[in-house]
């Protein structure tokens, strides 16, 4: 097992990337509402309300995962959709496909302890893929949340997921990601995250694609 990358996650060494979930993509990207809803579930854990009253079904800021939000050419493609729940987070405008623009690069340099990046957003074959490659080159483990990523074309989505896997990214689901971050049902925030896990994530159209991933395959 020496030297093998296992894809373990810890909140203190992870960063969440939310890519280009903007108004103009609402009617062109497949399963856009569902992908945004799944990404919003993931976001609740890193930046949810202060922890917590046990009766509130929400995430917990105590996990301390920093968040990067980008917008592709926002003057043309519009703002981030409100249902993502990222209204209080700074948005990094960009025209390049990778999210690793200079401001994000500076944030990564300011956090030398980071070991893993968690990716949600659109489009899988463009901005998600190119962001993942840039982050992998920087030595980070990259976890692509497959039920929170999509494309206009499901063929592009499928091939991009295979390409990401070939390049060394970990393919994961939103529930698996949350459980990897928590690691233990005794975690003080587990009860706040539990409602997100008990309620199945919205179907973002993955089941018809899964057979095409092939070996090493699986999520």
């Amino acid at each position: 097992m020496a030297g093998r990358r296992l894809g373990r996650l810890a909140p203190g060494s992870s960063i969440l990337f939310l890519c280009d979930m903007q108004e103009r993509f609402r009617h062109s990207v497949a399963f856009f509402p569902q992908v945004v809803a799944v990404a919003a579930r993931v976001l609740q854990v890193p930046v949810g309300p202060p922890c917590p009253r046990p009766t509130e079904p929400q995430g917990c800021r105590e996990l301390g995962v920093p968040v990067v939000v980008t917008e592709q050419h926002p003057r043309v493609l519009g703002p981030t959709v409100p249902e993502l729940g990222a209204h209080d987070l700074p948005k990094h405008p960009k025209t390049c496909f990778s999210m690793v623009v200079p401001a994000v690069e500076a944030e990564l340099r300011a956090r030398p302890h980071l070991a893993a990046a968690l990716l949600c957003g659109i489009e899988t074959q463009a901005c998600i893929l190119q962001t993942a490659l840039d982050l992998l080159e920087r030595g980070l483990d990259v976890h692509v949340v497959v039920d929170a990523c999509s494309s206009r074309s499901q063929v592009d989505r499928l091939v991009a997921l295979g390409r990401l896997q070939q390049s060394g990214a970990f393919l994961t689901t939103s529930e698996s990601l949350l459980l990897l971050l928590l690691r233990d049902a005794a975690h003080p925030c587990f009860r706040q995250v539990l409602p997100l896990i008990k309620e199945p994530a919205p179907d973002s159209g993955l089941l018809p694609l899964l057979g095409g991933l092939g070996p090493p395959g699986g999520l």
Side-chain angles (χ1 to χ4, degrees):
M1 298 292 288
R4 183 177 176 186
R5 295 168 57 247
L6 297 177
R8 297 267 188 200
L9 286 175
S13 59
S14 301
I15 185 167
L16 173 63
F17 283 74
L18 301 175
C19 185
D20 302 354
M21 286 176 271
Q22 296 162 253
E23 287 290 350
R24 284 287 293 274
F25 295 117
R26 187 184 291 277
H27 302 296
S28 59
V29 169
F31 300 97
F32 183 86
Q34 295 88 341
V35 162
V36 172
V38 175
R41 288 157 64 99
V42 176
L43 177 60
Q44 284 187 58
V45 173
V47 295
C51 208
R53 286 176 286 178
T55 56
E56 294 181 347
Q58 53 199 3
C60 174
R61 194 181 295 272
E62 282 189 2
L63 287 181
V65 179
V67 183
V68 169
V69 185
T70 60
E71 294 177 337
Q72 181 74 15
H73 215 324
R75 286 189 297 175
V76 174
L77 298 173
T80 298
V81 295
E83 57 265 39
L84 181 60
H87 57 277
D88 59 335
L89 297 172
K91 316 297 189 299
H92 299 287
K94 64 185 182 70
T95 57
C96 61
F97 297 121
S98 173
M99 296 176 73
V100 188
V101 295
V104 174
E105 183 81 69
E107 183 158 355
L108 293 175
R109 287 197 302 269
R111 301 177 185 273
H113 61 286
L114 289 175
L118 325 173
L119 298 190
C120 303
I122 59 175
E123 290 189 67
T124 317
Q125 83 286 358
C127 300
I128 295 296
L129 175 60
Q130 294 194 34
T131 300
L133 295 178
D134 279 351
L135 294 171
L136 286 165
E137 281 187 334
R138 286 159 175 78
L140 292 174
D141 282 350
V142 173
H143 296 252
V144 178
V145 188
V146 295
D147 50 341
C149 295
S150 190
S151 303
R152 288 164 296 151
S153 160
Q154 293 301 276
V155 172
D156 281 332
R157 184 186 188 189
L158 170 63
V159 173
L161 290 175
R163 172 78 163 85
L164 285 157
Q165 196 172 46
Q166 290 170 343
S167 299
F170 296 103
L171 305 187
T172 189
T173 63
S174 54
E175 179 173 325
S176 180
L177 186 83
L178 297 180
L179 293 173
L180 276 170
L181 287 167
L182 288 168
R183 298 193 66 162
D184 193 325
H187 192 287
C189 292
F190 179 74
R191 288 187 179 276
Q192 283 64 55
V193 177
L194 184 60
L196 301 178
I197 296 169
K198 291 175 70 174
E199 181 69 24
D203 178 8
S204 58
L206 282 169
L207 283 178
L209 302 179
L210 294 183
L213 283 177
L219 301 179

